[in-house]
Amino acid sequence: MSRQKRAFNSFWSRPDASMSMGCIDCPELVICGGQTIDGAGFNCLDHCCGKPDSCQAVCPKAHRFADRIREVGGLDLATPQAASLGPCTLPSYLPMLFHGSALASTIAAPAVAIPLYRFFDQGADCRFDTRDSIVQSYKIDPSADIILSGVAQDHEVEGWWRLEAPGRIKAIANFRRLGIAMVTTPNFSLMVDRPRWDDLHSLRRIVLAYHELVSEGQAAALHVNGRTRHDFARWSDYVAAHPEVTHIAYEFTTGTKNPERMRQHALWLIELAQAAGRRLGLVLRGGTQVVGLLSQFYDISLIDSSPFEKAQHREVAWIDQEGQRRWKKRLTAPGEPVDALLDENIRISEQWFGSLLPKLKLAA
């Protein structure tokens, strides 16, 4: 491991580490929970860039700090309770689609995931006039359920917030018009090397985005981004107090891809499930290594982009003797559609993922 990577990992929150001395008198200690890391540090302001005029982080030393706090109305997770929208059942496996290129016929899947950010432009106008235009663009079955995934790169995720409240409400109305089954809220980023106010601001934006969706009648999964046990405790309190939350979402494809962090975050998700007082759905991106653990506490739905991406690169899935999914090249003729590859990839991947779930079904 490089020195830079070791230094980065030292910023990870450790539940058993002592709180940093500089956190004791912080006015946000109750909301933040304090810094608990293995690495040296007085408090999170060690990560201040020292450039208040140009700083883009939510930092109390930045000149824009008051405006950033004002735009979200504070840093707590309080929202009014929304009306429950009724049960929403998702299949355990959801292939992710990015476009319909190189496909000639309809994809045989009862439900699919599509990136949220493909459905609106900078003016909050929908990029699809009708449900049929989605069907034609993505080559999906007209009766297939559509789940919009809010997990993406930061520049795309921030696009949702830039719509501002009126634009987001307009976009949500279009989702409902098109019969979108569920939206997972944008995963606004939490950074280990920024002052914690930046994290708290992102958490607040996530809960506001969720509340806007469900208040407008759109089923949604609350993306419970968190870096510390305290973050998950705050989400636990929110979920327990809001019965309209039927599903949460989480992704293990970036900072929590590390096996150690993946297991730690899985344990925090379990604590959330135990505090909720009801069984929740969990919409996952990545994290198949901890599915067996999480499935004892959640009804899991995996959004998987691999079948689509691998088909585009002319690769097909197979399962080895250990039950692991593997990929091998299967070249196509020039101009030949990839329908057969994608169908096979989805079929094998659904079978592979299903093999991870028996313990869940026995424990449920």
Side-chain angles (χ1 to χ4, degrees):
M1 184 185 297
S2 69
R3 180 181 300 176
Q4 182 180 17
K5 184 64 175 175
R6 285 195 299 272
F8 183 85
N9 290 358
S10 72
F11 300 147
W12 284 343
S13 176
R14 309 282 183 179
D16 56 347
S18 299
M19 184 189 300
S20 297
M21 186 178 298
C23 296
I24 295 172
D25 294 327
C26 177
E28 306 299 346
L29 178 59
V30 172
I31 293 179
C32 168
Q35 176 174 271
T36 53
I37 59 175
D38 283 343
F42 184 69
N43 59 27
C44 68
L45 286 174
D46 293 340
H47 301 302
C48 174
C49 67
K51 300 175 182 178
D53 291 333
S54 59
C55 179
Q56 298 301 306
V58 183
C59 174
K61 295 185 179 181
H63 290 171
R64 299 176 61 227
F65 180 68
D67 292 336
R68 299 302 302 277
I69 300 301
R70 193 177 297 116
E71 73 174 326
V72 295
L75 296 176
D76 60 36
L77 297 181
T79 67
Q81 188 170 305
S84 296
L85 300 178
C88 180
T89 303
L90 300 180
S92 61
Y93 184 80
L94 296 162
M96 170 73 92
L97 308 177
F98 294 94
H99 52 75
S101 299
L103 295 174
S105 58
T106 299
I107 299 165
V112 299
I114 299 174
L116 166 64
Y117 312 101
R118 304 292 173 93
F119 271 71
F120 61 89
D121 61 20
Q122 293 180 350
D125 291 316
C126 189
R127 292 186 169 126
F128 301 97
D129 295 328
T130 64
R131 175 87 177 195
D132 187 61
S133 63
I134 306 173
V135 168
Q136 296 302 319
S137 293
Y138 287 89
K139 301 294 194 301
I140 61 175
D141 188 288
S143 64
D145 286 335
I146 299 173
I147 291 81
L148 302 185
S149 174
V151 173
Q153 297 293 320
D154 285 346
H155 70 278
E156 291 183 292
V157 174
E158 292 296 333
W160 182 252
W161 192 252
R162 283 194 295 270
L163 294 179
E164 300 186 345
R168 295 192 293 271
I169 300 304
K170 177 181 177 182
I172 294 167
N174 283 322
F175 300 160
R176 294 197 64 203
R177 174 178 59 82
L178 294 168
I180 299 303
M182 179 171 284
V183 178
T184 74
T185 54
N187 63 325
F188 295 108
S189 291
L190 278 62
M191 306 288 191
V192 300
D193 56 353
R194 286 187 182 180
R196 271 284 280 172
W197 285 266
D198 203 75
D199 289 349
L200 303 177
H201 183 269
S202 289
L203 296 179
R204 177 66 178 166
R205 289 195 292 167
I206 289 171
V207 81
L208 290 176
Y210 175 78
H211 181 69
E212 288 171 348
L213 285 159
V214 295
S215 295
E216 294 299 313
Q218 175 60 62
L222 173 65
H223 195 112
V224 290
N225 241 2
R227 284 206 303 110
T228 71
R229 186 173 194 170
H230 192 77
D231 290 341
F232 283 90
R234 294 179 68 210
W235 283 127
S236 297
D237 291 343
Y238 183 86
V239 172
H242 287 262
E244 69 270 27
V245 180
T246 60
H247 291 72
I248 65 170
Y250 209 70
E251 61 96 5
F252 288 96
T253 59
T254 50
T256 50
K257 192 174 182 178
N258 174 280
E260 178 188 353
R261 295 309 289 173
M262 182 179 292
R263 181 169 178 81
Q264 178 61 77
H265 283 243
L267 293 175
W268 285 335
L269 287 171
I270 289 171
E271 290 177 359
L272 186 154
Q274 292 172 326
R278 60 192 184 278
R279 193 168 177 92
L280 300 168
L282 173 58
V283 184
L284 281 180
R285 296 287 298 272
T288 54
Q289 299 93 319
V290 291
V291 158
L293 183 62
L294 291 169
S295 64
Q296 300 174 55
F297 301 89
Y298 292 98
D299 296 324
I300 293 181
S301 297
L302 176 73
I303 294 179
D304 187 11
S305 62
S306 295
F308 179 89
E309 293 170 339
K310 294 294 187 179
Q312 294 292 316
H313 290 90
R314 278 49 177 183
E315 294 183 50
V316 67
W318 62 284
I319 299 176
D320 66 16
Q321 293 182 342
E322 285 73 41
Q324 298 298 311
R325 181 178 59 172
R326 306 295 185 189
W327 305 94
K328 59 184 176 183
K329 278 288 186 182
R330 183 184 291 176
L331 298 181
T332 58
E336 180 183 350
V338 298
D339 298 63
L341 290 176
L342 180 56
D343 286 346
E344 180 74 354
N345 285 350
I346 292 174
R347 184 184 69 81
I348 293 295
S349 296
E350 187 172 8
Q351 177 185 338
W352 159 75
F353 185 66
S355 71
L356 305 179
L357 296 178
K359 291 182 181 179
L360 142 113
K361 311 232 183 225
L362 291 172

